[in-house]
Amino acid sequence: KNGTEKRVSVIGNVGTIGTKETIEFLKEAEKTGIDAALVIVPFYVKPTQEGMYQHFKAIAECTELPLIIYNVPDRTSSNILPQTVVRLAQDCKNIVAIKEAAGCVSQVAELYSVLPEDFSIYSGDDMLILPFMSVGATGLISVVSNTGGQLLQDLMQAFEAGKVKEAMDLNAQMLPVAKAMFITTNPIPVKEAVSILTPINAGPVRLPLVPMSSIEKEKVCDVFKKYGLIK
């Protein structure tokens, strides 16, 4: 904050493996002044669609904050389906968006076709932002933007302005950088990239994550050099 004026809105990630624990975490996070909360589909336990509905409904009922569902089956082993998201959007007015990282363009298209117009669909994958926007996504919750999001911003603005070829060309420039951020498990590369490309020392990862190997780091730096991010 700058005095009493907020410079940016802050979304707090509060999702955990259980409903009770998530609510407790959310209540603590609310005390920090966050503007919204990101809540992941519970990982490991593989809830049914009804279980996911009841989970998010219970969380929504305990807060006035806007909530964003985070769907990332690769990490949770569970995929919240569009019809479950529709039920939640209809029954919980403070569930306002989804971070969709299932990697499926057709699922984004279905979400767009069945959700209310004011419900936001965010891509959870930098490399899929362009095809996702083409079927209804409105924005991106990004990894690459941590090291400078201007290229992604230009890409999305070009697409929204109807400059599809320009957006395609910008997407082609962005893809190698995005791929470099996933040369090993996220967020290992992006933390190192922040320390390399910005004045911020992002610090080490915590176990069970480990730093990139010297070979991986060299490959990432080669990409940065190729695209003029470092000399």
Side-chain angles (χ1 to χ4, degrees):
K1 292 184 181 181
N2 181 10
T4 59
E5 182 182 351
K6 280 193 175 184
R7 294 174 57 196
V8 294
S9 297
V10 175
I11 300 169
N13 180 19
V14 301
T16 70
I17 196 170
T19 307
K20 177 176 176 289
E21 293 81 4
T22 299
I23 291 171
E24 290 172 351
F25 191 4
L26 173 58
K27 288 302 180 184
E28 288 301 311
E30 283 180 330
K31 297 173 185 176
T32 69
I34 59 174
D35 300 285
L38 182 71
V39 186
I40 197 168
V41 172
F43 42 90
Y44 182 73
V45 293
K46 301 177 79 169
T48 63
Q49 294 300 309
E50 181 63 24
M52 293 181 205
Y53 170 80
Q54 295 294 343
H55 172 75
F56 285 105
K57 184 171 182 287
I59 295 163
E61 288 173 346
C62 82
T63 184
E64 295 183 1
L65 285 177
L67 300 180
I68 303 171
I69 297 168
Y70 181 14
N71 188 39
V72 55
D74 186 52
R75 289 182 179 263
T76 66
S77 296
S78 296
N79 179 31
I80 188 167
L81 297 177
Q83 290 305 320
T84 305
V85 180
V86 169
R87 287 180 68 196
L88 289 164
Q90 291 172 340
D91 297 345
C92 309
K93 297 307 177 187
N94 58 331
I95 296 181
V96 299
I98 184 167
K99 177 183 177 182
E100 180 53 64
C104 182
V105 176
S106 63
Q107 182 155 296
V108 175
E110 184 175 353
L111 284 166
Y112 181 74
S113 72
V114 295
L115 283 165
E117 189 174 345
D118 61 351
F119 194 97
S120 297
I121 304 168
Y122 296 108
S123 173
D125 188 332
D126 296 275
M127 289 181 277
L128 291 175
I129 180 56
L130 188 55
F132 275 18
M133 287 186 73
S134 73
V135 294
T138 55
L140 171 67
I141 297 178
S142 172
V143 172
V144 174
S145 62
N146 286 283
T147 56
Q150 191 60 52
L151 182 58
L152 283 161
Q153 183 77 348
D154 291 346
L155 187 167
M156 290 186 283
Q157 289 180 345
F159 182 84
E160 289 173 350
K163 300 175 182 177
V164 177
K165 178 62 166 61
E166 182 180 332
M168 290 165 58
D169 291 342
L170 290 167
N171 189 66
Q173 293 177 42
M174 178 272 295
L175 280 176
V177 180
K179 287 182 178 180
M181 292 301 91
F182 290 89
I183 195 170
T184 187
T185 303
N186 178 48
I188 296 168
V190 74
K191 280 182 70 73
E192 295 217 25
V194 167
S195 298
I196 293 167
L197 298 176
T198 78
I200 299 168
N201 181 353
V205 292
R206 290 176 290 184
L207 286 172
L209 300 181
V210 294
M212 285 193 293
S213 69
S214 58
I215 294 174
E216 289 167 341
K217 189 170 183 177
E218 183 179 352
K219 288 180 179 178
V220 169
C221 287
D222 285 345
V223 172
F224 291 162
K225 289 174 184 175
K226 181 177 179 180
Y227 290 91
L229 296 174
I230 59 174
K231 293 182 179 179

